[in-house]
Amino acid sequence: MKKIIMALVLMPLMALAGTEKIGDVTWSFTVANGEATVTGASPVSGVLEIPSTLGGCPVTSIGEFSFSGCTGLTSVAIPKGVTNIGSGAFAGCGELKDVYFCGVVPPLVASDAFSSCNADLILHAPRGWTGRTRILGGVYLVVDGEIMSVQQVNMTVTNVVVNYVLNS
């Protein structure tokens, strides 16, 4: 009897793995505490729009090394519910040029999430993007359609609208 009760208590703590096909893409993910973490997708090339839900749960994280080495990936859209982008999530995506953040609150981004990506990687953020996030130096940040160069590792973005391009 004690073993059965212990198993029922521990069940919510376990992450369940799954896959879901949306259009031509099969998504891999885990679900824990009612939230989905993207762990990969196939095929990955060109433009990729990460879904806002998987397995009936909101996508809140992009897991470590989820898209690492996806050399054909050129653009990715991150849904507004994503609060975390893990270590190496897009590392080595040499053709990745554009990342679109759809939420107003920036996710926590691991310092190496975009390592070894295209030298001209541009992060696109909507008007009103506020908060603090970690972004690698040498990356561009676009807020409300305007580009600014990001040279520092830690930066704060508060209702920024840049009306000119800063060269790196």
Side-chain angles (χ1 to χ4, degrees), residues 50-62:
I50 295 174
S52 58
T53 62
L54 285 169
C57 298
V59 172
T60 59
S61 295
I62 299 171

Side-chain angles (χ1 to χ4, degrees), residues 28 37-41 44 50 61-70 73 84-93 110-116:
S28 301
T37 296
V38 175
T39 57
V44 176
I50 295 174
S61 295
I62 299 171
E64 293 182 351
F65 306 103
S66 294
F67 301 98
S68 177
C70 293
L73 184 61
N84 184 49
I85 299 177
S87 178
F90 296 95
C93 296
S111 61
D112 63 347
F114 297 102
S115 64
S116 301

Side-chain angles (χ1 to χ4, degrees), residues 49 51 91 130 152 168:
E49 184 175 339
T130 62
Q152 64 272 39
S168 59

Side-chain angles (χ1 to χ4, degrees), residues 4-168:
I4 293 172
I5 292 172
M6 184 61 114
L8 290 175
V9 170
L10 292 177
M11 277 178 55
L13 302 176
M14 297 184 324
L16 302 173
T19 60
E20 184 174 333
K21 187 170 177 89
I22 300 174
D24 294 333
V25 179
T26 300
W27 296 89
S28 301
F29 61 95
T30 59
V31 173
N33 300 320
E35 297 179 340
T37 296
V38 175
T39 57
S42 179
V44 176
S45 64
V47 177
L48 188 66
E49 184 175 339
I50 295 174
S52 58
T53 62
L54 285 169
C57 298
V59 172
T60 59
S61 295
I62 299 171
E64 293 182 351
F65 306 103
S66 294
F67 301 98
S68 177
C70 293
T71 56
L73 184 61
T74 59
S75 177
V76 64
I78 311 287
K80 68 180 179 180
V82 170
T83 58
N84 184 49
I85 299 177
S87 178
F90 296 95
C93 296
E95 297 299 316
L96 184 59
K97 295 179 184 173
D98 295 290
V99 177
Y100 295 88
F101 293 100
C102 299
V104 178
V105 178
L108 296 174
V109 180
S111 61
D112 63 347
F114 297 102
S115 64
S116 301
C117 285
N118 188 299
D120 295 322
L121 177 65
I122 299 175
L123 306 179
H124 300 264
R127 177 183 290 277
W129 207 46
T130 62
R132 186 169 184 85
T133 191
R134 293 178 59 91
I135 302 174
L136 293 174
V139 176
Y140 290 100
L141 174 66
V142 174
V143 179
D144 193 35
E146 301 297 336
I147 301 174
M148 62 185 280
S149 178
V150 178
Q151 297 301 320
Q152 64 272 39
V153 174
N154 290 305
M155 65 170 289
T156 300
V157 179
T158 307
N159 296 323
V160 176
V161 177
V162 180
N163 295 314
Y164 54 90
V165 177
L166 298 174
N167 294 320
S168 59

